[in-house]
């Protein structure tokens, strides 16, 4: 019925592990533990880099290293905006 080879199983397992890791990082960053803004930026960059790695696994048109770098840059940029106090929403 299903023809799943080891490569497909590896991709699915990597994606699931990445999503779980992202959820753990988001949980840790949402806690009110004392930490610097630099740590917040690094954690968000890592979470987005993992997301980029998942996209790189799923899409054959983009290299995985490019997806990871772009994800990390977006994560860092969003975290810097978020920690600066500037809101992306209209008030």
């Amino acid at each position: 019925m299903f023809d799943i080879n080891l490569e497909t199983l590896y991709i699915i397992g990597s994606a699931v592990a990445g999503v779980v890791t992202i959820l753990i990082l988001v949980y840790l960053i949402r806690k009110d533990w004392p930490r610097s803004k630099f740590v917040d930026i690094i954690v968000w960059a890592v979470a987005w880099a993992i997301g980029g790695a998942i996209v790189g696994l799923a899409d054959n048109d983009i290299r995985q290293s490019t997806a990871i770098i772009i994800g990390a840059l977006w994560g860092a940029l969003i975290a810097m905006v978020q920690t600066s106090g500037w809101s992306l929403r209209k008030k």
Side-chain angles (χ1 to χ4, degrees):
M1 181 176 207
F2 292 108
D3 185 25
I4 298 179
N5 56 15
L6 288 179
E7 182 180 354
T8 304
L9 192 60
Y10 170 74
I11 291 171
I12 292 171
S14 298
V16 169
V19 170
V20 168
T21 305
I22 289 171
L23 291 174
I24 290 170
L25 288 172
V26 168
Y27 171 77
L28 291 175
I29 202 82
R30 292 291 182 191
K31 298 295 279 182
D32 277 339
W33 297 331
R35 62 187 176 277
S36 68
K37 289 182 180 182
F38 179 75
V39 171
D40 286 348
I41 292 169
I42 294 299
V43 170
W44 279 113
V46 168
W48 278 72
I50 292 169
I54 292 170
V55 169
L57 282 173
D59 190 358
N60 292 333
D61 292 337
I62 188 169
R63 292 188 336 201
Q64 191 168 13
S65 59
T66 303
I68 291 170
I69 291 169
I70 290 172
L73 290 175
W74 271 110
L77 179 66
I78 290 171
M80 283 189 285
V81 168
Q82 191 175 22
T83 57
S84 72
W86 183 63
S87 177
L88 295 174
R89 298 183 190 133
K90 284 189 173 185
K91 292 183 180 182

